Amino acid sequence: MSKDYYAILGVDRDATPEEIKKAYRRRAMKVHPDVAQDDAEAADKFKELGEAYEVLSDPNKRAVFDRGGDPRGGGGAGFSGFGGGFAGGFDFTNLVDAMFGAQSGRGGPRSRVRRGQDALVRIELELHEAVFGAAKPLKVDTAVVCPKCQGSGGEAGSEPVTCSTCGGQGDIIQIQRSFLGDIRTSQACPQCRGYGTIIPRPCSECSGEGRVRSKRTITVKIPAGVSTGNRIHLEAQGEVGPGGGPAGDLYVEISVRPHETFRREGDNLEAVLRVPMTAAALGTTMELITLENEWADSDPDARKVAVEVPAGTQSGTRMAIKDRGVPRLRGGGRGELGITFLVQTPTKLDERQRELLRELAELRDETEPGAVEAHKQGKSGGLFGRLQDWLS
Ligand SMILES: [Zn+2]
Ligand SMILES: [Zn+2]
């Protein structure tokens, strides 16, 4: 439910814009943090007042509210955009920040040395690298500690000196006058950018930043079983911070290239095996070259697998070979190698083959199959749907 903005401001429903403005000023003064210092909810109350004023001072929003609608759209969203509707035209959010921010966060000059940001790089892997693991070289371009000044930001022998503008405080107090009374705000000193000190002769290599950008190649160990979207976390391999501060972390995001033969489904590897019609009918053993064949460190015996095609195999039948899928990232073991048979109907027949097939059809009483109902696939499309996915 939306709040009763009239009650919040303490005005009648037919209050004039002038009355609304006055009521807002009066109440805003009350919850002003300099007045209501012992009230922990002052900030919330102040925002609520702002919300009420935002709506009731705008004829359109007020009309929406009077009709029982939600004039601020979405309701739960944070309080923002007040500036546009306000007659004075100042940014309300900044004012709140100035009032409430000024009470806290007065910690003197800030340090030049700060932790660097985390960095994210992407790496593309072949399927076998993701499945069996790999050590991959990776080019990264991040900030490193400036080799010339070792992070200090100054030329050799150039010590930072106290900033004369702020006296080393790092910030400057300003008094702003407003209808709410005087508001104390503190701003980072423009001279020293809040550091409280100035480097008289900044390092020529890094312009005083204490860090420079550098391309380097690192080796990333890819654990077996990763998949697209997984991230590898490398501590302290990210951006070195300003002033040569500690480096952030590096995240390597995996993306796996599609493979011609094998498709990954969770911990399983799936493949389609084309089986000649006659072999499917009579049964046979076929050889499948496995994904291990692409992995230099694999057991040579694992590079192919003998697949038993039972007599009477239907197109779309799936067979699973346990423990030949993807190693599980957690928990150990491997998924399955799934093989779906695709029975191949011969297309080019010579006269003799045609004759034999005709004879077979006669023997099986299949020369005139007649009318049959189409095979029901179920809602998910069944095996046929899976097969179509594959072939597309
Ligand atoms: Zn430097
Ligand atoms: Zn300063």
Side-chain angles (χ1 to χ4, degrees), residues 313-383:
T313 290
Q314 304 293 324
S315 217
T317 309
R318 180 179 178 274
M319 194 187 89
I321 303 176
K322 297 259 178 245
D323 269 333
R324 296 302 299 270
V326 182
R328 293 187 182 93
L329 261 184
R330 292 171 201 84
R334 290 173 69 173
E336 300 172 345
L337 172 59
I339 296 160
T340 302
F341 298 113
L342 182 62
V343 176
Q344 302 262 269
T345 306
T347 49
K348 283 178 189 138
L349 298 171
D350 63 23
E351 199 38 56
R352 168 84 178 124
Q353 290 166 354
R354 230 190 313 271
E355 193 182 305
L356 281 170
L357 282 173
R358 259 192 231 106
E359 197 181 323
L360 179 65
E362 267 161 37
L363 282 171
R364 292 182 55 80
D365 198 17
E366 288 171 352
T367 49
E368 287 175 61
V372 287
E373 203 183 330
H375 181 65
K376 289 190 176 70
Q377 295 294 323
K379 279 181 182 152
S380 63
L383 290 169

Side-chain angles (χ1 to χ4, degrees), residues 163-168 170 189-194 196-197:
C163 172
S164 56
T165 306
C166 62
C189 167
Q191 188 68 31
C192 62
R193 292 190 295 152
T197 55

Side-chain angles (χ1 to χ4, degrees), residues 146-151 153-154 203-212:
C146 172
K148 193 175 178 200
C149 64
Q150 307 297 328
C203 167
S204 59
E205 187 73 25
C206 63
S207 313
E209 264 285 284
R211 54 180 183 169
V212 289

Side-chain angles (χ1 to χ4, degrees), residues 20 69 98 104 139 200-201 233 275 293 302 306 317 321 362 379:
I20 287 168
S104 57
K139 281 203 178 81
R201 282 188 295 132
H233 180 197
V275 185
N293 191 51
T317 309
I321 303 176
E362 267 161 37
K379 279 181 182 152

Side-chain angles (χ1 to χ4, degrees), residues 8-134:
I8 291 169
L9 288 182
V11 294
D12 293 333
R13 295 191 75 84
D14 57 358
T16 63
E18 191 55 33
E19 285 168 340
I20 287 168
K21 199 169 177 179
K22 272 186 184 161
Y24 171 63
R25 286 182 182 185
R26 208 165 45 236
R27 300 218 160 197
M29 286 295 281
K30 259 194 203 166
V31 295
H32 188 292
D34 286 352
V35 181
Q37 266 177 354
D38 53 359
D39 190 344
E41 286 155 8
D44 288 344
K45 283 186 187 168
F46 201 86
K47 286 196 176 189
E48 195 178 58
L49 271 181
E51 218 178 286
Y53 186 69
E54 179 200 359
V55 170
L56 297 186
S57 63
D58 179 321
N60 292 328
K61 288 180 182 173
R62 186 175 176 183
V64 172
F65 178 71
D66 286 344
R67 285 196 301 271
D70 180 1
R72 303 181 68 247
F79 180 61
S80 64
F82 187 80
F86 192 75
F90 67 80
D91 188 326
F92 184 80
T93 314
N94 280 357
L95 177 61
V96 172
D97 287 349
M99 292 170 78
F100 295 94
Q103 290 198 313
S104 57
R106 291 291 322 278
R110 63 190 177 120
S111 171
R112 284 184 190 277
V113 181
R114 273 173 290 141
R115 180 183 184 271
Q117 289 191 323
D118 294 341
L120 175 69
V121 286
R122 293 186 170 80
I123 192 167
E124 267 211 330
L125 301 178
E126 299 297 343
L127 182 62
H128 70 88
E129 295 172 322
V131 168
F132 303 118

Side-chain angles (χ1 to χ4, degrees), residues 212-287:
V212 289
R213 293 213 73 79
S214 162
K215 287 190 173 76
R216 64 194 200 281
T217 302
I218 58 171
T219 301
V220 184
K221 210 178 161 299
I222 312 286
V226 294
S227 50
T228 293
N230 282 161
R231 283 182 179 184
I232 294 169
H233 180 197
L234 300 173
E235 231 168 281
Q237 295 274 12
E239 307 277 348
V240 158
D249 296 342
L250 179 68
Y251 291 88
V252 181
E253 190 171 289
I254 308 279
S255 141
V256 184
R257 290 196 195 101
H259 191 273
E260 276 192 320
T261 309
F262 297 98
R263 188 170 66 163
R264 179 154 175 189
E265 296 229 5
D267 292 327
N268 296 342
L269 286 174
E270 298 290 336
V272 166
L273 193 61
R274 293 170 195 270
V275 185
M277 182 186 76
T278 47
L282 298 170
T284 189
T285 302
M286 293 177 77
E287 204 166 72

